[in-house]
Amino acid sequence: MQKAMKLVVALALSAPVAADIPKSIYLTHGPKEGADWATYDAILRELNGDFEITDFADDEAAAFIEREYAGTELAQVYAAAPRPVMKADLFRLAVVAKNGGFYLDKDVLVRQNFAPLAEDSTAVFPLEWWKSDDAFAARHFARPRDDFEHFQVGNYAFGAEAGHALVVDALDEAVRRAKALEGKEEVTDLDILRSTGPYMLSEVYHGGRLAGGMYDDATLLRGDDETPARPSDGHTENDWHKLGAYGEHMLSHSWTSRRLTDDYYEEPVCESSTSWHVPKRPSKDCDWIGKKTGKKLKRACKNTKDSMGVKAKDACFVAVSYTHLTLP
């Protein structure tokens, strides 16, 4: 297990690290119930009878955070989160970081027993879908640094040993980004996806991978090419939104204010990152960059990075007038 960040390191490292992912599966209820969720649940239990399956109601998830992460910033951020899905995002990372096991959204249609994944992996995530340059820029306020970064890492179904570095690091980053949203008048769907959701997780994974091969032990499962069970919307490929051949995300999107399709934000959005800033200097953010002019602006855009190595030219859209599209 690689070195984890400070928020949960003591908690994560105090947990026993097994050779396999524990045969536990965690679910959360969420604020709404989908029409087919009872069917998905029955299929999950039939195919994975050898797993301990725990379905956390909202109050039970909150009690878990309060008990297992008492005194941490996570507990404070979780309690203050303005939208229920942010709590669900934080909980899934927190429960797997602490206990190990698998997390599944309620709208995952399971197709196989998960035992082979538990026995052969220290962490497993879905290689969810491939984003074009424009779609990537709209979601990540940046451009891909290599071909593989076009792929999104999903958080609707994943598993890991207790204290796995990718889960712990993603939890730390989710807490940092969620805290940065406190006091914002409206927390949008995009804010959530970028702060606690899969856009954040993808940035943590790819950032670590490109920084020196972090998370090499994590398995990313690309979906099979079988026709999806969910109706086609004309935007997705057969292998998108799947945990290999083990399960399919049925895309209920019960939490969103609008249904997201895979061309969501097809056109670049004129919005700077709300979480980017110079390491340990939160006042030196995109607004600070935007106040520079001439050569100072050019140097700052090209050379200034945040703690994840993201340059200002890749994060501060409005401030630098999309110069990230042309600068080397």
Side-chain angles (χ1 to χ4, degrees):
M1 184 177 65
Q2 301 182 49
K3 184 178 179 182
M5 295 173 67
K6 64 179 181 179
L7 172 69
V8 295
V9 62
L11 294 166
L13 294 181
S14 67
V17 178
D20 302 329
I21 299 175
K23 295 181 77 173
S24 301
I25 296 174
Y26 309 106
L27 310 167
T28 52
H29 282 285
K32 302 177 184 178
E33 288 290 338
D36 298 315
W37 288 5
T39 300
Y40 303 151
D41 187 82
I43 293 171
L44 165 66
R45 294 173 188 275
E46 180 180 353
L47 293 178
N48 289 274
D50 53 335
F51 279 71
E52 180 181 0
I53 300 173
T54 307
D55 194 344
F56 285 81
D58 289 349
D59 58 343
E60 293 169 334
F64 176 89
I65 297 294
E66 292 173 4
R67 179 179 67 253
E68 302 296 340
Y69 291 87
T72 69
E73 200 168 34
L74 167 60
Q76 301 169 14
V77 169
Y78 182 92
R83 291 182 58 179
V85 66
M86 296 177 71
K87 295 178 185 286
D89 284 344
L90 291 165
F91 170 76
R92 70 190 67 186
L93 293 168
V95 69
V96 173
K98 179 65 179 179
N99 295 340
F102 292 85
Y103 168 84
L104 298 180
D105 274 357
K106 296 282 283 187
D107 62 345
V108 172
L109 174 60
V110 173
R111 297 191 177 280
Q112 295 186 27
N113 182 275
F114 281 12
L117 295 179
E119 295 164 2
D120 296 338
S121 308
T122 57
V124 57
F125 288 81
L127 194 64
E128 190 172 11
W129 57 290
W130 188 94
K131 298 182 286 287
S132 67
D133 285 347
D134 286 348
F136 189 96
R139 290 159 173 79
H140 299 287
F141 302 156
R143 55 185 178 184
R145 288 163 285 184
D146 66 4
D147 288 342
F148 190 51
E149 195 173 8
H150 283 276
F151 280 102
Q152 178 162 297
V153 181
N155 72 338
Y156 58 84
F158 65 92
E161 64 184 8
H164 191 275
L166 176 54
V167 181
V168 172
D169 289 353
L171 179 57
D172 278 327
E173 184 65 11
V175 168
R176 186 182 73 82
R177 294 190 185 193
K179 187 174 178 62
L181 293 174
E182 290 181 2
K184 186 176 181 182
E185 185 174 342
E186 179 186 5
V187 175
T188 67
D189 293 348
L190 182 59
D191 287 330
I192 292 168
L193 291 162
R194 283 191 46 75
S195 61
T196 60
Y199 299 173
M200 175 279 301
L201 175 62
S202 298
E203 290 173 10
V204 170
Y205 172 78
H206 288 297
R209 175 181 65 84
L210 291 166
M214 293 175 65
Y215 321 129
D216 281 348
D217 62 323
T219 299
L220 300 186
L221 288 182
R222 190 166 183 174
D224 61 32
D225 199 42
E226 296 296 318
T227 301
R230 67 183 183 279
S232 174
D233 59 8
H235 297 282
T236 62
E237 302 293 338
N238 282 356
D239 62 342
W240 291 12
H241 310 298
K242 293 179 178 179
L243 183 66
Y246 288 86
E248 179 181 340
H249 191 201
M250 299 300 285
L251 300 175
S252 294
H253 289 307
S254 63
W255 62 270
T256 56
S257 58
R258 53 161 286 180
R259 183 174 178 85
L260 301 183
T261 60
D262 292 304
D263 61 352
Y264 187 51
Y265 291 113
E266 185 78 14
E267 297 298 324
V269 292
C270 294
E271 181 179 347
S272 291
S273 169
T274 57
S275 59
W276 184 95
H277 61 80
V278 175
K280 299 182 180 180
R281 302 293 295 274
S283 63
K284 293 191 174 184
D285 55 10
C286 284
D287 289 340
W288 173 77
I289 290 288
K291 293 176 182 177
K292 298 181 179 297
T293 59
K295 291 182 178 180
K296 289 184 178 180
L297 174 59
K298 185 175 181 179
R299 284 196 299 268
C301 289
K302 187 175 181 180
N303 299 326
T304 310
K305 302 177 182 179
D306 68 3
S307 59
M308 295 296 294
V310 177
K311 294 182 179 181
K313 68 184 180 67
D314 292 325
C316 302
F317 271 39
V318 174
V320 302
S321 301
Y322 292 91
T323 55
H324 72 286
L325 295 176
T326 56
L327 286 176

